[in-house]
Amino acid sequence: MRVLVVGSGGREHALCWSIAASPLCDKLYCAPGNAGIAAEAECVSIAADDVTGLVDFAKRERIDFVVVGPEGPLVLGLVDRLAEAGIKAFGPSAAAAALEGSKAFMKDLCAKYDIPTAAYGRFTDAAEAKAFIRARGAPIVVKADGLAAGKGVIIAATVAEAEAAVGAMLTAGQFGAAGAEVVVEEFLPGEEASFFVLTDGTHALPLASAQDHKRAHDGDRGPNTGGMGAYSPAPIVTEAVAADIMARIIRPTIAAMAAEGRPFKGVLYAGLMLTPEGPKLLEYNVRFGDPECQVLCVRLMSDLLPALIASHDGGLGHFHLRWHDKAALTVVMAAHGYPDAYQKGTEIRGLERAVALPDVTIFHAGTRRAEDGRLLANGGRVLNVTATGNTIADAQTRAYEAVDRVDWPAGFCRRDIGWRAVGK
Ligand code: AMP
Ligand code: GLY
């Protein structure tokens, strides 16, 4: 079959890497892709959020199946538009993507169906939001309702900080329409975990557990980012915790979305806080995590593509996926300055030496090939240096050996990816 992957990050490189290996895939395209993806797929220069351009391309090239990586085009209705054109796609409809696209929708759904999450209020009026904050006290969390590229969440240590966040969003319009409504919620203590399931709208097939590292610098310090590294499995998600998450959060959500007339298909990514009272939902994402997807893909032994197709067609209830017992760990190499201003166009060398190490795979995020063939950085997060090993500690050692072979003075990475799990 002819497959199109949409996106240009490390997540999409990992998806292309897995899908290209499927015997079902005859031809693979990626829009827009990157320099690493070009080794797996034919890259076409259509932006990931150019819905009309993507639908036209899929029709023209007789694409059988589209796999949508990022949330933007899902929220814009790419899957709906493809369905209208008779093209199957992996991912939720726009109505179902509201689970990520609107935090207020997600919170109201949890309240209506008794799904454990932080207590909250939703506001369009700054004075009311501030009164709520003063009544509850700090620490407290302020979130822009809509998509804000991971920057719309403020963990406020003081009431003044929370009030300033409300002012920035509701009064100063910092995130535009995405911040025209805010959710103010209770701060939840505990350790975070990510949990992924594939779903066809009825059945949920749990994937392996994974853990991200959101802060930019070692010791979980510095600003929030899209994710600086991940490992799988996450020892904190024991079988009992996973069963609890499925029973109390995932299955009720899938049933709730069906009952609301917005059946959810695709991958549901729950960001969770494991609190003393049990797992609570922090957020839903309606796509694979980046960089969590990269560690899942290297651990997956089964063919990914039929599972993605079953998420569209139904029948995931009969599926079983096999995973390597091995652990996987990925280190994100980012351009100096990320997540704030950073330079593009710096040269990266040494990747051949890095991937020559056993059990090492490098997924590209923001890279492009210069006309003379040199590899250039083209984004904030640039490379995902990924390794497997018998334990997370082994995978970590191997991944950093590979990182040290990458010659990119304009980049940096955290040196402590996996610290919570090493030794467990
Ligand atoms: P979100 O985009 O909603 O996942 O929020 C980004 C990050 O903020 C999460 O990964 C958590 O580290 C943190 N966070 C969000 N909501 C809360 C909360 N209610 N309590 C504590 N930390 C939170
Ligand atoms: N790694 C976090 C995310 O994909 O949202």
Side-chain angles (χ1 to χ4, degrees):
M1 62 198 299
R2 298 166 65 76
V3 181
L4 168 66
V5 172
V6 175
S8 62
R11 167 182 52 210
E12 288 76 23
H13 190 181
L15 291 171
C16 285
W17 181 83
S18 292
I19 292 168
S22 170
L24 293 179
C25 180
D26 300 310
K27 175 74 191 179
L28 182 60
Y29 292 98
C30 186
N34 62 39
I37 292 173
E40 309 287 351
E42 185 174 331
C43 295
V44 287
S45 74
I46 305 170
D49 57 4
D50 177 1
V51 172
T52 303
L54 291 167
V55 174
D56 287 348
F57 175 82
K59 284 202 281 202
R60 197 166 61 240
E61 292 299 328
R62 295 169 287 105
I63 299 296
D64 299 298
F65 194 60
V66 179
V67 177
V68 187
E71 65 279 13
L74 294 168
V75 171
L76 289 173
L78 176 57
V79 170
D80 310 70
R81 292 280 307 279
L82 288 165
E84 285 160 20
I87 299 165
K88 290 185 188 186
F90 173 77
S93 64
L99 271 183
E100 178 167 357
S102 167
K103 294 200 188 277
F105 170 79
M106 182 280 268
K107 298 295 289 189
D108 286 354
L109 189 87
C110 288
K112 182 168 171 189
Y113 292 90
D114 225 3
I115 297 164
T117 187
Y120 73 106
R122 42 184 291 196
F123 304 93
T124 51
D125 180 87
E128 286 176 23
K130 289 178 185 177
F132 182 85
I133 289 167
R134 282 193 297 271
R136 291 205 66 113
I140 193 158
V141 183
V142 180
K143 300 184 173 185
D145 173 60
L147 295 181
K151 298 199 173 123
V153 174
I154 307 297
I155 313 289
T158 63
V159 166
E161 214 182 303
E163 290 191 27
V166 165
M169 291 181 201
L170 290 184
T171 313
Q174 188 187 5
F175 298 113
E181 176 163 357
V182 299
V183 168
V184 180
E185 68 178 34
E186 165 198 17
F187 175 83
L188 296 176
E191 190 172 333
E192 276 185 73
S194 307
F195 195 81
F196 299 86
V197 299
L198 289 182
T199 167
D200 56 13
T202 309
H203 306 102
L205 181 65
L207 303 176
S209 60
Q211 181 117 6
D212 188 15
H213 300 62
K214 293 227 167 126
R215 301 294 197 97
H217 305 303
D218 285 15
D220 289 331
R221 283 193 281 268
N224 255 321
T225 70
M228 294 301 289
Y231 56 84
S232 173
I236 188 173
V237 183
T238 59
E239 270 182 37
V241 170
D244 210 20
I245 293 168
M246 287 298 291
R248 295 173 59 185
I249 297 179
I250 302 292
R251 285 199 206 97
T253 300
I254 290 169
M257 291 298 280
E260 293 290 312
R262 305 179 187 230
F264 187 95
K265 294 181 174 197
V267 59
L268 186 59
Y269 160 178
L272 302 158
M273 192 64 89
L274 305 182
T275 75
E277 296 159 25
K280 293 193 181 180
L281 183 69
L282 288 178
E283 62 162 350
Y284 270 130
N285 295 304
V286 299
R287 37 127 189 125
F288 282 104
D290 184 350
E292 293 97 317
C293 185
Q294 292 79 315
V295 286
L296 296 183
C297 284
V298 296
R299 286 192 62 219
L300 183 64
M301 294 168 78
S302 305
D303 188 348
L304 177 64
L305 187 53
L308 301 183
I309 294 169
S311 162
H312 175 277
D313 291 352
L316 266 183
H318 304 293
F319 254 77
H320 176 72
L321 293 175
R322 294 190 58 197
W323 301 88
H324 281 294
D325 286 337
K326 288 189 291 189
L329 183 140
T330 189
V331 177
V332 171
M333 298 187 75
H336 278 304
Y338 173 80
D340 299 318
Y342 54 82
Q343 209 187 336
K344 285 189 184 178
T346 56
E347 186 178 356
I348 304 161
R349 287 186 298 196
L351 293 201
E352 312 69 29
R353 270 176 38 74
V355 293
L357 286 165
D359 306 322
V360 169
T361 309
I362 297 185
F363 296 117
H364 291 222
T367 66
R368 72 180 176 86
R369 201 56 80 178
E371 276 176 18
D372 59 11
R374 286 177 310 139
L375 184 66
L376 304 180
N378 194 37
R381 293 190 294 173
V382 172
L383 297 171
N384 309 140
V385 182
T386 311
T388 55
N390 288 332
T391 62
I392 290 169
D394 289 344
Q396 184 194 50
T397 304
R398 176 86 14 106
Y400 280 110
E401 262 177 70
V403 163
D404 290 337
R405 290 187 176 195
V406 175
D407 177 10
W408 183 36
F412 79 100
C413 66
R414 279 180 60 160
R415 299 295 315 190
D416 65 347
I417 299 303
W419 66 273
R420 282 179 196 276
V422 165
K424 281 191 188 158

